Amino acid sequence: RAPEQPQPPPMALLSTAAELIDAALRGGLKQEGANGEGEGAEGGALCFPREWALRSVLGLGYRASDDMAWHTDMAGEEGWLCSISLGATARFEYLPAAAPSARRRCVVQNEQPPVKVDLECGDVLLLQGGLLPHRIVGVTREPPPFFAGISAGTALCRVNIQVRLWGHDPSLSLGSLLEDGFQDERSERISAEGPGS
């Protein structure tokens, strides 16, 4: 019998994220259609899908001076992600109501304060990022010693690894969205105002 080969990092991350999601489901994470939950458009979209597959991994590096403005992910209702934080602590905020557009986000911001969470090294966050607006307000300057050794020679003090449901449906891939004429708000603004604006 041949020795078992280690999985390539993306497959190992997908496997780990799947185990974490299974644990969350066993712990009471609401799923669509379970016990009458998820009725109506917003309620159903904010419940974890009954059938799911994790097929894409995104890595984001942060310097101590970095933040990220309010946004929702392009994937909309398919925007569930399992986020794994490594390195320095980040202040994460999200709005506790579905607000996939900038207009709806303004309404929700006036009605409800954001939920604030410090994401420390090793924390895992399961979030519907396509509908719940979220942002990173800041990152602490000092990562844990082991991470400082890993990131030596770079300006990075934090890495966020996002394992996403987005990508399991080929019609939601970035290539398909671009082929269908998708443009994000920034692209539309640049087109309207011209480059360099």
Side-chain angles (χ1 to χ4, degrees):
R1 198 168 160 195
E4 195 171 302
Q5 296 294 319
Q7 293 179 312
M11 294 308 295
L13 281 171
L14 292 175
S15 179
T16 300
E19 290 172 14
L20 292 167
I21 291 169
D22 281 338
L25 290 169
R26 286 191 305 273
L29 176 67
K30 290 182 185 176
Q31 276 189 289
E32 61 189 17
N35 301 325
E37 296 290 343
E39 301 303 321
E42 185 174 307
L46 291 176
C47 289
F48 197 76
R50 184 111 350 250
E51 293 186 28
W52 53 276
L54 299 171
R55 296 239 168 78
S56 62
V57 177
L58 172 67
L60 300 170
Y62 289 84
R63 299 168 300 220
S65 59
D66 288 344
D67 56 20
M68 187 174 288
W70 284 112
H71 69 283
T72 51
D73 301 330
M74 288 191 320
E77 291 188 12
E78 300 293 331
W80 279 95
L81 60 94
C82 180
S83 170
I84 303 166
S85 294
L86 300 173
T89 299
R91 169 57 62 95
F92 178 81
E93 294 183 352
Y94 70 94
L95 295 176
S101 69
R103 181 179 304 219
R104 175 78 176 123
R105 187 165 51 239
C106 288
V107 170
V108 172
Q109 282 177 301
N110 287 327
E111 294 173 351
Q112 300 180 43
V115 176
K116 300 175 182 185
V117 180
D118 285 337
L119 296 176
E120 298 178 352
C121 188
D123 284 350
V124 176
L125 174 71
L126 187 59
L127 177 76
Q128 204 330 339
L131 296 177
L132 296 176
H134 51 282
R135 68 180 177 173
I136 295 289
V137 179
V139 178
T140 59
R141 296 198 174 279
E142 296 298 321
F146 87 90
F147 188 83
I150 293 171
S151 63
T154 73
L156 297 180
C157 64
R158 176 178 189 262
V159 172
N160 176 238
I161 299 169
Q162 298 179 1
V163 181
R164 297 173 173 260
L165 290 176
W166 185 35
H168 76 281
D169 180 343
S171 70
L172 295 174
S173 70
L174 182 58
S176 294
L177 291 171
L178 293 174
E179 285 174 13
D180 292 342
F182 173 84
Q183 288 191 346
D184 65 15
E185 292 172 12
R186 183 175 179 274
S187 299
E188 290 171 5
R189 182 179 45 91
I190 290 171
S191 296
E193 298 172 6
S197 52

